[in-house]
Amino acid sequence: MGNYIARRLLIAVPVFFGITLLSFLLMNMAPGNPVDMLINPNIPQEMLELKREQLGLNDPLYMQYVRWLGGLLRGELGYSFSSFAPVSQLIGERIGPTLLLAVSSLLIGILIAIPIGVISAVYQNSRLDYVMTGLSFLGTSVPPFFLGLGLIYLMGIELKWLPTGGITTLGGTGGIGDIISHMILPVAVMGVTIAGKKVRYIRASMVDVLHQDYLRTARAKGLSEFRVTAKHALRNALIPIIAVIGAEIPLLLGGSIIIEQVFQWPGIGQLTMEAILSRDYPTLMGLNIAAACIVLTTNLITDIMYAAVDPRISYR
């Protein structure tokens, strides 16, 4: 296992640098730059040129990339062009709320999807199966922003049961209970979307496992149907689902941009939109690096989990 992890880490190094180069080129190919956001009739052209020179925007792209990469290797992500704060500080302040929202949504989505997918597979082609499959398609089909706005209107405005945005109440103490109450709506939206996609995978995997010979042998030994399904079938059915769950992490980071805008959640998604609108290259590059590290780490953990749950897999 140690050798496998070492090989994966070595492979991740050129992938990581490839991501930095591609991200840097795409950022600079986009129209506009931070100085363009300052243009108004009252600012002389000389001042704009001086600002471009100060930010290094007049240098060739390869020089800008080498300068930025050198800072990255020293552990420095640079300074924001809009707020002039260290990019690492901005990301550090926002990544906690985003991870809290993403991890909570993933757990809720999986906890919803597993029992629904198992029940749907056990009662295959029954009315219950059709209802649960239909609900999973509905959860996948409804756009998250539309569902979020609907819940805000119903639960926040009409019924006034839950807060409609933010992570804490303005002027409040900001305790755990307050944070949880603000999490309910965004977590519900993301959890429903995740569950809708995962139900079909779990159902298909369970249907395949339920027809295996070793389950018929377990039933012939006198084991109850619940024990056969929960202990033998479910564990083997979840093995291919691990890869699907691991692939969900990058999608969560991307989807959080929409959800954080709808619910005004102070996380990475909101910071990304602010950086895009202000053409803040250093912040966008820092966000890309953070996302790349999360994706590469998630893929490694997914492969390790495969070996942990499936004894047939051995890494040498």
Side-chain angles (χ1 to χ4, degrees), residues 4 8-9 12 95 99 102-103 106 241-253 289-306 315:
Y4 171 77
R8 285 298 305 270
L9 291 175
I95 197 168
L99 291 178
V103 173
L106 182 60
I241 305 301
I242 291 176
V244 179
I245 295 175
E248 189 69 31
I249 303 298
L251 299 179
L252 277 176
L253 296 177
I289 295 305
C293 291
I294 292 174
V295 171
L296 293 173
T297 303
T298 301
N299 290 338
L300 179 60
I301 293 175
T302 300
D303 290 339
I304 294 174
M305 289 178 62
Y306 252 103
Y315 296 127

PDB file of all heavy atoms in Angstrom, residues 4 8-9 12 95 99 102-103 106 241-253 289-306 315:
ATOM      1  N   TYR A   4       2.200   1.970  -3.426  1.00  0.00           N
ATOM      2  CA  TYR A   4       1.143   2.461  -4.309  1.00  0.00           C
ATOM      3  C   TYR A   4       0.884   3.942  -4.051  1.00  0.00           C
ATOM      4  O   TYR A   4       0.767   4.742  -4.990  1.00  0.00           O
ATOM      5  CB  TYR A   4      -0.136   1.654  -4.094  1.00  0.00           C
ATOM      6  CG  TYR A   4      -1.330   2.237  -4.808  1.00  0.00           C
ATOM      7  CD1 TYR A   4      -1.488   2.062  -6.177  1.00  0.00           C
ATOM      8  CD2 TYR A   4      -2.285   2.975  -4.121  1.00  0.00           C
ATOM      9  CE1 TYR A   4      -2.569   2.614  -6.843  1.00  0.00           C
ATOM     10  CE2 TYR A   4      -3.367   3.527  -4.775  1.00  0.00           C
ATOM     11  CZ  TYR A   4      -3.500   3.331  -6.133  1.00  0.00           C
ATOM     12  OH  TYR A   4      -4.573   3.889  -6.787  1.00  0.00           O
ATOM     13  N   ARG A   8       1.327   7.072  -6.669  1.00  0.00           N
ATOM     14  CA  ARG A   8       0.238   7.996  -6.979  1.00  0.00           C
ATOM     15  C   ARG A   8       0.644   9.442  -6.704  1.00  0.00           C
ATOM     16  O   ARG A   8       0.292  10.352  -7.455  1.00  0.00           O
ATOM     17  CB  ARG A   8      -1.006   7.648  -6.163  1.00  0.00           C
ATOM     18  CG  ARG A   8      -1.757   6.401  -6.646  1.00  0.00           C
ATOM     19  CD  ARG A   8      -2.275   6.603  -8.065  1.00  0.00           C
ATOM     20  NE  ARG A   8      -3.086   7.801  -8.159  1.00  0.00           N
ATOM     21  CZ  ARG A   8      -4.408   7.830  -7.958  1.00  0.00           C
ATOM     22  NH1 ARG A   8      -5.043   6.720  -7.662  1.00  0.00           N
ATOM     23  NH2 ARG A   8      -5.077   8.956  -8.068  1.00  0.00           N
ATOM     24  N   LEU A   9       1.380   9.652  -5.644  1.00  0.00           N
ATOM     25  CA  LEU A   9       1.835  11.002  -5.344  1.00  0.00           C
ATOM     26  C   LEU A   9       2.813  11.508  -6.406  1.00  0.00           C
ATOM     27  O   LEU A   9       2.774  12.681  -6.787  1.00  0.00           O
ATOM     28  CB  LEU A   9       2.488  11.039  -3.954  1.00  0.00           C
ATOM     29  CG  LEU A   9       1.543  10.836  -2.766  1.00  0.00           C
ATOM     30  CD1 LEU A   9       2.330  10.779  -1.463  1.00  0.00           C
ATOM     31  CD2 LEU A   9       0.494  11.943  -2.697  1.00  0.00           C
ATOM     32  N   ALA A  12       0.864  12.481  -9.348  1.00  0.00           N
ATOM     33  CA  ALA A  12       0.080  13.695  -9.105  1.00  0.00           C
ATOM     34  C   ALA A  12       0.900  14.962  -9.319  1.00  0.00           C
ATOM     35  O   ALA A  12       0.333  16.021  -9.618  1.00  0.00           O
ATOM     36  CB  ALA A  12      -0.480  13.684  -7.688  1.00  0.00           C
ATOM     37  N   ILE A  95     -12.874  28.676   3.116  1.00  0.00           N
ATOM     38  CA  ILE A  95     -12.931  27.246   2.808  1.00  0.00           C
ATOM     39  C   ILE A  95     -13.660  26.451   3.893  1.00  0.00           C
ATOM     40  O   ILE A  95     -14.283  25.428   3.617  1.00  0.00           O
ATOM     41  CB  ILE A  95     -11.513  26.679   2.575  1.00  0.00           C
ATOM     42  CG1 ILE A  95     -11.597  25.326   1.858  1.00  0.00           C
ATOM     43  CG2 ILE A  95     -10.754  26.553   3.907  1.00  0.00           C
ATOM     44  CD1 ILE A  95     -10.276  24.829   1.337  1.00  0.00           C
ATOM     45  N   LEU A  99     -16.537  23.688   3.081  1.00  0.00           N
ATOM     46  CA  LEU A  99     -16.368  22.281   3.439  1.00  0.00           C
ATOM     47  C   LEU A  99     -17.479  21.820   4.372  1.00  0.00           C
ATOM     48  O   LEU A  99     -17.978  20.690   4.255  1.00  0.00           O
ATOM     49  CB  LEU A  99     -15.005  22.063   4.088  1.00  0.00           C
ATOM     50  CG  LEU A  99     -13.787  22.202   3.172  1.00  0.00           C
ATOM     51  CD1 LEU A  99     -12.495  22.007   3.954  1.00  0.00           C
ATOM     52  CD2 LEU A  99     -13.859  21.201   2.022  1.00  0.00           C
ATOM     53  N   ALA A 102     -20.480  21.353   2.092  1.00  0.00           N
ATOM     54  CA  ALA A 102     -20.320  20.244   1.143  1.00  0.00           C
ATOM     55  C   ALA A 102     -20.351  18.889   1.841  1.00  0.00           C
ATOM     56  O   ALA A 102     -21.035  17.966   1.386  1.00  0.00           O
ATOM     57  CB  ALA A 102     -19.018  20.420   0.372  1.00  0.00           C
ATOM     58  N   VAL A 103     -19.607  18.747   2.933  1.00  0.00           N
ATOM     59  CA  VAL A 103     -19.555  17.465   3.638  1.00  0.00           C
ATOM     60  C   VAL A 103     -20.923  17.124   4.228  1.00  0.00           C
ATOM     61  O   VAL A 103     -21.388  15.973   4.135  1.00  0.00           O
ATOM     62  CB  VAL A 103     -18.479  17.503   4.742  1.00  0.00           C
ATOM     63  CG1 VAL A 103     -18.544  16.242   5.596  1.00  0.00           C
ATOM     64  CG2 VAL A 103     -17.093  17.637   4.117  1.00  0.00           C
ATOM     65  N   LEU A 106     -23.183  16.023   1.403  1.00  0.00           N
ATOM     66  CA  LEU A 106     -22.831  14.695   0.900  1.00  0.00           C
ATOM     67  C   LEU A 106     -23.320  13.610   1.853  1.00  0.00           C
ATOM     68  O   LEU A 106     -23.884  12.593   1.412  1.00  0.00           O
ATOM     69  CB  LEU A 106     -21.326  14.600   0.713  1.00  0.00           C
ATOM     70  CG  LEU A 106     -20.783  13.283   0.140  1.00  0.00           C
ATOM     71  CD1 LEU A 106     -21.367  13.031  -1.237  1.00  0.00           C
ATOM     72  CD2 LEU A 106     -19.259  13.315   0.067  1.00  0.00           C
ATOM     73  N   ILE A 241     -19.955   2.036  -5.809  1.00  0.00           N
ATOM     74  CA  ILE A 241     -20.503   3.344  -5.475  1.00  0.00           C
ATOM     75  C   ILE A 241     -19.429   4.259  -4.900  1.00  0.00           C
ATOM     76  O   ILE A 241     -19.524   5.483  -4.968  1.00  0.00           O
ATOM     77  CB  ILE A 241     -21.674   3.197  -4.481  1.00  0.00           C
ATOM     78  CG1 ILE A 241     -22.736   2.237  -5.041  1.00  0.00           C
ATOM     79  CG2 ILE A 241     -22.307   4.541  -4.183  1.00  0.00           C
ATOM     80  CD1 ILE A 241     -23.309   2.665  -6.364  1.00  0.00           C
ATOM     81  N   ILE A 242     -18.373   3.662  -4.314  1.00  0.00           N
ATOM     82  CA  ILE A 242     -17.313   4.471  -3.712  1.00  0.00           C
ATOM     83  C   ILE A 242     -16.696   5.411  -4.747  1.00  0.00           C
ATOM     84  O   ILE A 242     -16.440   6.589  -4.467  1.00  0.00           O
ATOM     85  CB  ILE A 242     -16.241   3.565  -3.083  1.00  0.00           C
ATOM     86  CG1 ILE A 242     -16.812   2.841  -1.856  1.00  0.00           C
ATOM     87  CG2 ILE A 242     -15.009   4.370  -2.686  1.00  0.00           C
ATOM     88  CD1 ILE A 242     -15.856   1.859  -1.229  1.00  0.00           C
ATOM     89  N   ALA A 243     -16.456   4.902  -5.948  1.00  0.00           N
ATOM     90  CA  ALA A 243     -15.874   5.750  -6.999  1.00  0.00           C
ATOM     91  C   ALA A 243     -16.826   6.873  -7.373  1.00  0.00           C
ATOM     92  O   ALA A 243     -16.395   8.007  -7.630  1.00  0.00           O
ATOM     93  CB  ALA A 243     -15.553   4.912  -8.226  1.00  0.00           C
ATOM     94  N   VAL A 244     -18.114   6.575  -7.385  1.00  0.00           N
ATOM     95  CA  VAL A 244     -19.104   7.595  -7.731  1.00  0.00           C
ATOM     96  C   VAL A 244     -19.149   8.680  -6.662  1.00  0.00           C
ATOM     97  O   VAL A 244     -19.238   9.871  -6.955  1.00  0.00           O
ATOM     98  CB  VAL A 244     -20.494   6.943  -7.906  1.00  0.00           C
ATOM     99  CG1 VAL A 244     -21.540   7.999  -8.232  1.00  0.00           C
ATOM    100  CG2 VAL A 244     -20.453   5.891  -8.994  1.00  0.00           C
ATOM    101  N   ILE A 245     -19.061   8.262  -5.403  1.00  0.00           N
ATOM    102  CA  ILE A 245     -19.071   9.233  -4.305  1.00  0.00           C
ATOM    103  C   ILE A 245     -17.809  10.090  -4.353  1.00  0.00           C
ATOM    104  O   ILE A 245     -17.856  11.307  -4.141  1.00  0.00           O
ATOM    105  CB  ILE A 245     -19.190   8.512  -2.951  1.00  0.00           C
ATOM    106  CG1 ILE A 245     -20.548   7.810  -2.852  1.00  0.00           C
ATOM    107  CG2 ILE A 245     -19.021   9.492  -1.800  1.00  0.00           C
ATOM    108  CD1 ILE A 245     -20.706   6.967  -1.605  1.00  0.00           C
ATOM    109  N   GLY A 246     -16.666   9.466  -4.643  1.00  0.00           N
ATOM    110  CA  GLY A 246     -15.429  10.233  -4.749  1.00  0.00           C
ATOM    111  C   GLY A 246     -15.477  11.263  -5.859  1.00  0.00           C
ATOM    112  O   GLY A 246     -14.966  12.381  -5.714  1.00  0.00           O
ATOM    113  N   ALA A 247     -16.131  10.904  -6.968  1.00  0.00           N
ATOM    114  CA  ALA A 247     -16.252  11.850  -8.080  1.00  0.00           C
ATOM    115  C   ALA A 247     -17.217  12.978  -7.776  1.00  0.00           C
ATOM    116  O   ALA A 247     -17.253  13.983  -8.502  1.00  0.00           O
ATOM    117  CB  ALA A 247     -16.695  11.106  -9.339  1.00  0.00           C
ATOM    118  N   GLU A 248     -18.009  12.834  -6.718  1.00  0.00           N
ATOM    119  CA  GLU A 248     -18.996  13.855  -6.369  1.00  0.00           C
ATOM    120  C   GLU A 248     -18.339  15.073  -5.714  1.00  0.00           C
ATOM    121  O   GLU A 248     -18.901  16.179  -5.764  1.00  0.00           O
ATOM    122  CB  GLU A 248     -20.036  13.263  -5.416  1.00  0.00           C
ATOM    123  CG  GLU A 248     -21.232  14.151  -5.146  1.00  0.00           C
ATOM    124  CD  GLU A 248     -22.116  14.307  -6.370  1.00  0.00           C
ATOM    125  OE1 GLU A 248     -22.192  13.360  -7.189  1.00  0.00           O
ATOM    126  OE2 GLU A 248     -22.720  15.382  -6.513  1.00  0.00           O
ATOM    127  N   ILE A 249     -17.162  14.906  -5.106  1.00  0.00           N
ATOM    128  CA  ILE A 249     -16.517  16.006  -4.389  1.00  0.00           C
ATOM    129  C   ILE A 249     -16.236  17.194  -5.302  1.00  0.00           C
ATOM    130  O   ILE A 249     -16.593  18.339  -4.967  1.00  0.00           O
ATOM    131  CB  ILE A 249     -15.229  15.529  -3.702  1.00  0.00           C
ATOM    132  CG1 ILE A 249     -15.524  14.361  -2.732  1.00  0.00           C
ATOM    133  CG2 ILE A 249     -14.564  16.681  -2.977  1.00  0.00           C
ATOM    134  CD1 ILE A 249     -16.447  14.719  -1.602  1.00  0.00           C
ATOM    135  N   PRO A 250     -15.586  16.991  -6.480  1.00  0.00           N
ATOM    136  CA  PRO A 250     -15.379  18.154  -7.361  1.00  0.00           C
ATOM    137  C   PRO A 250     -16.693  18.797  -7.811  1.00  0.00           C
ATOM    138  O   PRO A 250     -16.772  20.021  -7.939  1.00  0.00           O
ATOM    139  CB  PRO A 250     -14.620  17.559  -8.560  1.00  0.00           C
ATOM    140  CG  PRO A 250     -13.993  16.313  -8.035  1.00  0.00           C
ATOM    141  CD  PRO A 250     -14.951  15.778  -7.023  1.00  0.00           C
ATOM    142  N   LEU A 251     -17.714  17.974  -8.041  1.00  0.00           N
ATOM    143  CA  LEU A 251     -19.013  18.525  -8.445  1.00  0.00           C
ATOM    144  C   LEU A 251     -19.625  19.350  -7.322  1.00  0.00           C
ATOM    145  O   LEU A 251     -20.302  20.349  -7.567  1.00  0.00           O
ATOM    146  CB  LEU A 251     -19.961  17.388  -8.847  1.00  0.00           C
ATOM    147  CG  LEU A 251     -19.509  16.525 -10.024  1.00  0.00           C
ATOM    148  CD1 LEU A 251     -20.519  15.419 -10.297  1.00  0.00           C
ATOM    149  CD2 LEU A 251     -19.333  17.384 -11.273  1.00  0.00           C
ATOM    150  N   LEU A 252     -19.398  18.922  -6.074  1.00  0.00           N
ATOM    151  CA  LEU A 252     -19.904  19.694  -4.938  1.00  0.00           C
ATOM    152  C   LEU A 252     -19.259  21.068  -4.891  1.00  0.00           C
ATOM    153  O   LEU A 252     -19.924  22.072  -4.612  1.00  0.00           O
ATOM    154  CB  LEU A 252     -19.628  18.940  -3.631  1.00  0.00           C
ATOM    155  CG  LEU A 252     -20.617  17.848  -3.237  1.00  0.00           C
ATOM    156  CD1 LEU A 252     -20.139  17.137  -1.981  1.00  0.00           C
ATOM    157  CD2 LEU A 252     -21.999  18.426  -3.014  1.00  0.00           C
ATOM    158  N   LEU A 253     -17.958  21.119  -5.148  1.00  0.00           N
ATOM    159  CA  LEU A 253     -17.269  22.408  -5.123  1.00  0.00           C
ATOM    160  C   LEU A 253     -17.798  23.330  -6.208  1.00  0.00           C
ATOM    161  O   LEU A 253     -17.954  24.538  -5.994  1.00  0.00           O
ATOM    162  CB  LEU A 253     -15.762  22.198  -5.295  1.00  0.00           C
ATOM    163  CG  LEU A 253     -15.063  21.425  -4.167  1.00  0.00           C
ATOM    164  CD1 LEU A 253     -13.594  21.228  -4.500  1.00  0.00           C
ATOM    165  CD2 LEU A 253     -15.208  22.148  -2.838  1.00  0.00           C
ATOM    166  N   ILE A 289      -5.941  26.164  -7.458  1.00  0.00           N
ATOM    167  CA  ILE A 289      -4.948  25.313  -6.807  1.00  0.00           C
ATOM    168  C   ILE A 289      -5.598  24.554  -5.645  1.00  0.00           C
ATOM    169  O   ILE A 289      -5.364  23.348  -5.458  1.00  0.00           O
ATOM    170  CB  ILE A 289      -3.760  26.153  -6.311  1.00  0.00           C
ATOM    171  CG1 ILE A 289      -3.018  26.762  -7.503  1.00  0.00           C
ATOM    172  CG2 ILE A 289      -2.813  25.307  -5.484  1.00  0.00           C
ATOM    173  CD1 ILE A 289      -2.563  25.763  -8.531  1.00  0.00           C
ATOM    174  N   ALA A 290      -6.394  25.249  -4.852  1.00  0.00           N
ATOM    175  CA  ALA A 290      -7.074  24.593  -3.739  1.00  0.00           C
ATOM    176  C   ALA A 290      -7.997  23.485  -4.238  1.00  0.00           C
ATOM    177  O   ALA A 290      -8.038  22.377  -3.677  1.00  0.00           O
ATOM    178  CB  ALA A 290      -7.869  25.619  -2.926  1.00  0.00           C
ATOM    179  N   ALA A 291      -8.745  23.757  -5.322  1.00  0.00           N
ATOM    180  CA  ALA A 291      -9.644  22.744  -5.881  1.00  0.00           C
ATOM    181  C   ALA A 291      -8.859  21.560  -6.432  1.00  0.00           C
ATOM    182  O   ALA A 291      -9.269  20.399  -6.261  1.00  0.00           O
ATOM    183  CB  ALA A 291     -10.501  23.369  -6.979  1.00  0.00           C
ATOM    184  N   ALA A 292      -7.722  21.827  -7.098  1.00  0.00           N
ATOM    185  CA  ALA A 292      -6.907  20.739  -7.644  1.00  0.00           C
ATOM    186  C   ALA A 292      -6.381  19.846  -6.532  1.00  0.00           C
ATOM    187  O   ALA A 292      -6.377  18.609  -6.662  1.00  0.00           O
ATOM    188  CB  ALA A 292      -5.752  21.320  -8.458  1.00  0.00           C
ATOM    189  N   CYS A 293      -5.930  20.449  -5.430  1.00  0.00           N
ATOM    190  CA  CYS A 293      -5.430  19.648  -4.301  1.00  0.00           C
ATOM    191  C   CYS A 293      -6.535  18.784  -3.715  1.00  0.00           C
ATOM    192  O   CYS A 293      -6.309  17.609  -3.375  1.00  0.00           O
ATOM    193  CB  CYS A 293      -4.854  20.569  -3.233  1.00  0.00           C
ATOM    194  SG  CYS A 293      -3.327  21.410  -3.713  1.00  0.00           S
ATOM    195  N   ILE A 294      -7.731  19.334  -3.595  1.00  0.00           N
ATOM    196  CA  ILE A 294      -8.857  18.565  -3.051  1.00  0.00           C
ATOM    197  C   ILE A 294      -9.205  17.402  -3.964  1.00  0.00           C
ATOM    198  O   ILE A 294      -9.445  16.285  -3.501  1.00  0.00           O
ATOM    199  CB  ILE A 294     -10.070  19.493  -2.848  1.00  0.00           C
ATOM    200  CG1 ILE A 294      -9.781  20.499  -1.720  1.00  0.00           C
ATOM    201  CG2 ILE A 294     -11.317  18.683  -2.513  1.00  0.00           C
ATOM    202  CD1 ILE A 294     -10.862  21.540  -1.543  1.00  0.00           C
ATOM    203  N   VAL A 295      -9.224  17.650  -5.278  1.00  0.00           N
ATOM    204  CA  VAL A 295      -9.582  16.580  -6.228  1.00  0.00           C
ATOM    205  C   VAL A 295      -8.532  15.472  -6.220  1.00  0.00           C
ATOM    206  O   VAL A 295      -8.871  14.275  -6.172  1.00  0.00           O
ATOM    207  CB  VAL A 295      -9.745  17.169  -7.642  1.00  0.00           C
ATOM    208  CG1 VAL A 295      -9.888  16.043  -8.668  1.00  0.00           C
ATOM    209  CG2 VAL A 295     -10.946  18.085  -7.707  1.00  0.00           C
ATOM    210  N   LEU A 296      -7.258  15.827  -6.267  1.00  0.00           N
ATOM    211  CA  LEU A 296      -6.199  14.812  -6.268  1.00  0.00           C
ATOM    212  C   LEU A 296      -6.207  14.011  -4.974  1.00  0.00           C
ATOM    213  O   LEU A 296      -6.033  12.781  -4.985  1.00  0.00           O
ATOM    214  CB  LEU A 296      -4.837  15.485  -6.469  1.00  0.00           C
ATOM    215  CG  LEU A 296      -4.598  16.127  -7.844  1.00  0.00           C
ATOM    216  CD1 LEU A 296      -3.288  16.890  -7.853  1.00  0.00           C
ATOM    217  CD2 LEU A 296      -4.614  15.077  -8.950  1.00  0.00           C
ATOM    218  N   THR A 297      -6.414  14.677  -3.851  1.00  0.00           N
ATOM    219  CA  THR A 297      -6.476  13.974  -2.567  1.00  0.00           C
ATOM    220  C   THR A 297      -7.683  13.055  -2.505  1.00  0.00           C
ATOM    221  O   THR A 297      -7.598  11.920  -2.011  1.00  0.00           O
ATOM    222  CB  THR A 297      -6.527  14.995  -1.414  1.00  0.00           C
ATOM    223  OG1 THR A 297      -5.390  15.857  -1.492  1.00  0.00           O
ATOM    224  CG2 THR A 297      -6.520  14.284  -0.073  1.00  0.00           C
ATOM    225  N   THR A 298      -8.820  13.531  -3.003  1.00  0.00           N
ATOM    226  CA  THR A 298     -10.041  12.718  -2.999  1.00  0.00           C
ATOM    227  C   THR A 298      -9.866  11.461  -3.838  1.00  0.00           C
ATOM    228  O   THR A 298     -10.307  10.365  -3.447  1.00  0.00           O
ATOM    229  CB  THR A 298     -11.222  13.543  -3.529  1.00  0.00           C
ATOM    230  OG1 THR A 298     -11.404  14.699  -2.705  1.00  0.00           O
ATOM    231  CG2 THR A 298     -12.498  12.722  -3.517  1.00  0.00           C
ATOM    232  N   ASN A 299      -9.241  11.591  -5.001  1.00  0.00           N
ATOM    233  CA  ASN A 299      -9.016  10.416  -5.851  1.00  0.00           C
ATOM    234  C   ASN A 299      -8.123   9.388  -5.157  1.00  0.00           C
ATOM    235  O   ASN A 299      -8.369   8.170  -5.255  1.00  0.00           O
ATOM    236  CB  ASN A 299      -8.380  10.841  -7.174  1.00  0.00           C
ATOM    237  CG  ASN A 299      -9.350  11.605  -8.057  1.00  0.00           C
ATOM    238  OD1 ASN A 299     -10.566  11.479  -7.901  1.00  0.00           O
ATOM    239  ND2 ASN A 299      -8.826  12.397  -8.963  1.00  0.00           N
ATOM    240  N   LEU A 300      -7.102   9.847  -4.456  1.00  0.00           N
ATOM    241  CA  LEU A 300      -6.220   8.927  -3.733  1.00  0.00           C
ATOM    242  C   LEU A 300      -6.973   8.224  -2.608  1.00  0.00           C
ATOM    243  O   LEU A 300      -6.860   7.001  -2.436  1.00  0.00           O
ATOM    244  CB  LEU A 300      -5.021   9.693  -3.176  1.00  0.00           C
ATOM    245  CG  LEU A 300      -4.013   8.872  -2.356  1.00  0.00           C
ATOM    246  CD1 LEU A 300      -3.421   7.755  -3.202  1.00  0.00           C
ATOM    247  CD2 LEU A 300      -2.915   9.773  -1.803  1.00  0.00           C
ATOM    248  N   ILE A 301      -7.764   8.974  -1.848  1.00  0.00           N
ATOM    249  CA  ILE A 301      -8.538   8.377  -0.748  1.00  0.00           C
ATOM    250  C   ILE A 301      -9.544   7.375  -1.291  1.00  0.00           C
ATOM    251  O   ILE A 301      -9.775   6.311  -0.693  1.00  0.00           O
ATOM    252  CB  ILE A 301      -9.233   9.482   0.058  1.00  0.00           C
ATOM    253  CG1 ILE A 301      -8.196  10.344   0.779  1.00  0.00           C
ATOM    254  CG2 ILE A 301     -10.207   8.882   1.073  1.00  0.00           C
ATOM    255  CD1 ILE A 301      -8.782  11.535   1.499  1.00  0.00           C
ATOM    256  N   THR A 302     -10.149   7.674  -2.439  1.00  0.00           N
ATOM    257  CA  THR A 302     -11.110   6.761  -3.049  1.00  0.00           C
ATOM    258  C   THR A 302     -10.464   5.427  -3.394  1.00  0.00           C
ATOM    259  O   THR A 302     -11.026   4.357  -3.138  1.00  0.00           O
ATOM    260  CB  THR A 302     -11.721   7.395  -4.304  1.00  0.00           C
ATOM    261  OG1 THR A 302     -12.385   8.619  -3.954  1.00  0.00           O
ATOM    262  CG2 THR A 302     -12.726   6.448  -4.955  1.00  0.00           C
ATOM    263  N   ASP A 303      -9.271   5.468  -3.976  1.00  0.00           N
ATOM    264  CA  ASP A 303      -8.570   4.235  -4.322  1.00  0.00           C
ATOM    265  C   ASP A 303      -8.205   3.434  -3.074  1.00  0.00           C
ATOM    266  O   ASP A 303      -8.284   2.194  -3.070  1.00  0.00           O
ATOM    267  CB  ASP A 303      -7.304   4.558  -5.121  1.00  0.00           C
ATOM    268  CG  ASP A 303      -7.616   5.068  -6.519  1.00  0.00           C
ATOM    269  OD1 ASP A 303      -8.738   4.806  -6.989  1.00  0.00           O
ATOM    270  OD2 ASP A 303      -6.757   5.724  -7.121  1.00  0.00           O
ATOM    271  N   ILE A 304      -7.799   4.116  -2.015  1.00  0.00           N
ATOM    272  CA  ILE A 304      -7.457   3.423  -0.772  1.00  0.00           C
ATOM    273  C   ILE A 304      -8.702   2.776  -0.165  1.00  0.00           C
ATOM    274  O   ILE A 304      -8.650   1.648   0.344  1.00  0.00           O
ATOM    275  CB  ILE A 304      -6.803   4.401   0.215  1.00  0.00           C
ATOM    276  CG1 ILE A 304      -5.450   4.869  -0.337  1.00  0.00           C
ATOM    277  CG2 ILE A 304      -6.600   3.748   1.571  1.00  0.00           C
ATOM    278  CD1 ILE A 304      -4.800   5.956   0.495  1.00  0.00           C
ATOM    279  N   MET A 305      -9.833   3.475  -0.225  1.00  0.00           N
ATOM    280  CA  MET A 305     -11.084   2.921   0.309  1.00  0.00           C
ATOM    281  C   MET A 305     -11.519   1.681  -0.467  1.00  0.00           C
ATOM    282  O   MET A 305     -12.098   0.751   0.093  1.00  0.00           O
ATOM    283  CB  MET A 305     -12.180   3.977   0.278  1.00  0.00           C
ATOM    284  CG  MET A 305     -11.998   5.094   1.289  1.00  0.00           C
ATOM    285  SD  MET A 305     -13.298   6.343   1.167  1.00  0.00           S
ATOM    286  CE  MET A 305     -14.752   5.345   1.569  1.00  0.00           C
ATOM    287  N   TYR A 306     -11.218   1.661  -1.762  1.00  0.00           N
ATOM    288  CA  TYR A 306     -11.521   0.473  -2.560  1.00  0.00           C
ATOM    289  C   TYR A 306     -10.853  -0.762  -1.967  1.00  0.00           C
ATOM    290  O   TYR A 306     -11.464  -1.823  -1.826  1.00  0.00           O
ATOM    291  CB  TYR A 306     -11.023   0.677  -4.000  1.00  0.00           C
ATOM    292  CG  TYR A 306     -12.117   0.874  -5.005  1.00  0.00           C
ATOM    293  CD1 TYR A 306     -12.401   2.130  -5.494  1.00  0.00           C
ATOM    294  CD2 TYR A 306     -12.863  -0.206  -5.454  1.00  0.00           C
ATOM    295  CE1 TYR A 306     -13.406   2.318  -6.420  1.00  0.00           C
ATOM    296  CE2 TYR A 306     -13.874  -0.024  -6.382  1.00  0.00           C
ATOM    297  CZ  TYR A 306     -14.148   1.239  -6.858  1.00  0.00           C
ATOM    298  OH  TYR A 306     -15.153   1.410  -7.758  1.00  0.00           O
ATOM    299  N   TYR A 315      -2.912  -3.745  -3.638  1.00  0.00           N
ATOM    300  CA  TYR A 315      -1.973  -2.797  -4.227  1.00  0.00           C
ATOM    301  C   TYR A 315      -0.553  -3.200  -3.848  1.00  0.00           C
ATOM    302  O   TYR A 315      -0.251  -3.369  -2.672  1.00  0.00           O
ATOM    303  CB  TYR A 315      -2.236  -1.381  -3.715  1.00  0.00           C
ATOM    304  CG  TYR A 315      -3.602  -0.853  -4.121  1.00  0.00           C
ATOM    305  CD1 TYR A 315      -4.472  -0.351  -3.152  1.00  0.00           C
ATOM    306  CD2 TYR A 315      -3.994  -0.836  -5.435  1.00  0.00           C
ATOM    307  CE1 TYR A 315      -5.711   0.137  -3.513  1.00  0.00           C
ATOM    308  CE2 TYR A 315      -5.224  -0.363  -5.814  1.00  0.00           C
ATOM    309  CZ  TYR A 315      -6.075   0.149  -4.850  1.00  0.00           C
ATOM    310  OH  TYR A 315      -7.302   0.613  -5.200  1.00  0.00           O
TER     311      TYR A 315
END
